[in-house]
């Protein structure tokens, strides 16, 4: 069975969040929709990856900020030069570097917070 993962998340700042993740994680716009039963959405990823992200906005509804500081997306980037370049892209995209809620992620990684308070960890290491 071939599996593909979609990580979907609502936002009150659709254009800003999409641009942050597109630039910060070097992703492409894979698709989008407008006013589908009151929802707008944009999917980001890379062709051939086994996952992509969908950010949505429900017109007339407010979703607010992340519920906790431990809501994370974690990316393992083993090559040190690639990891450093990825960290620089995150800041360029507008992500704020923050201390991790769980200090484990600060040992070999950096944590970044988006405009909605959700966090992304870039871990300089391999997933085993």
């Amino acid at each position: 069975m071939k599996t593909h993962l979609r990580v979907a998340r609502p936002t009150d700042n659709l254009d800003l969040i999409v641009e942050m993740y597109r630039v910060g994680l070097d992703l492409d716009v894979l698709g989008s929709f407008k006013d589908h039963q009151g929802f707008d959405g944009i999917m980001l990823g890379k062709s051939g990856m086994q996952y992509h992200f969908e950010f949505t906005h429900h017109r007339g509804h407010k979703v607010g900020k992340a519920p906790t500081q431990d809501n994370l997306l974690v990316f393992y980037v083993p090559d040190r030069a690639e990891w450093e370049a990825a960290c620089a892209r995150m800041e360029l995209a507008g992500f704020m570097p923050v201390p991790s809620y769980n200090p484990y992620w600060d040992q070999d990684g950096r944590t970044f917070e988006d405009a909605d308070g959700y966090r992304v960890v870039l871990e300089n290491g391999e997933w085993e």
Side-chain angles (χ1 to χ4, degrees):
M1 171 174 75
K2 184 176 178 180
T3 304
H4 187 93
L5 172 69
R6 173 182 283 186
V7 177
R9 169 166 84 75
T11 178
D12 296 322
N13 305 294
L14 185 60
D15 292 335
L16 174 61
I17 290 297
V18 165
E19 188 63 8
M20 288 178 79
Y21 281 80
R22 188 189 66 74
V23 172
L25 295 175
D26 192 28
L27 300 174
D28 301 321
V29 174
L30 300 176
S32 65
F33 54 90
K34 291 240 184 249
D35 200 17
H36 178 72
Q37 297 179 325
F39 286 86
D40 299 326
I42 300 175
M43 284 73 72
L44 296 175
K46 288 278 191 192
S47 180
M49 284 183 165
Q50 297 295 80
Y51 66 89
H52 70 270
F53 301 102
E54 175 188 42
F55 295 99
T56 61
H57 174 70
H58 190 189
R59 296 175 182 198
H61 291 82
K62 184 164 177 62
V63 296
K65 299 281 188 178
T68 74
Q69 294 177 328
D70 208 26
N71 283 45
L72 304 174
L73 291 172
V74 179
F75 292 89
Y76 291 85
V77 185
D79 181 87
R80 182 74 181 191
E82 288 179 27
W83 176 78
E84 288 173 354
C87 289
R89 269 195 320 274
M90 293 294 278
E91 289 191 53
L92 178 67
F95 282 87
M96 294 297 300
V98 294
S100 184
Y101 178 77
N102 179 339
Y104 170 81
W105 297 114
D106 290 333
Q107 294 174 24
D108 294 310
R110 290 190 62 201
T111 302
F112 300 89
E113 189 172 277
D114 73 18
D116 290 339
Y118 285 87
R119 294 182 170 197
V120 176
V121 175
L122 299 182
E123 180 75 1
N124 185 212
E126 302 253 355
W127 166 248
E128 299 178 52

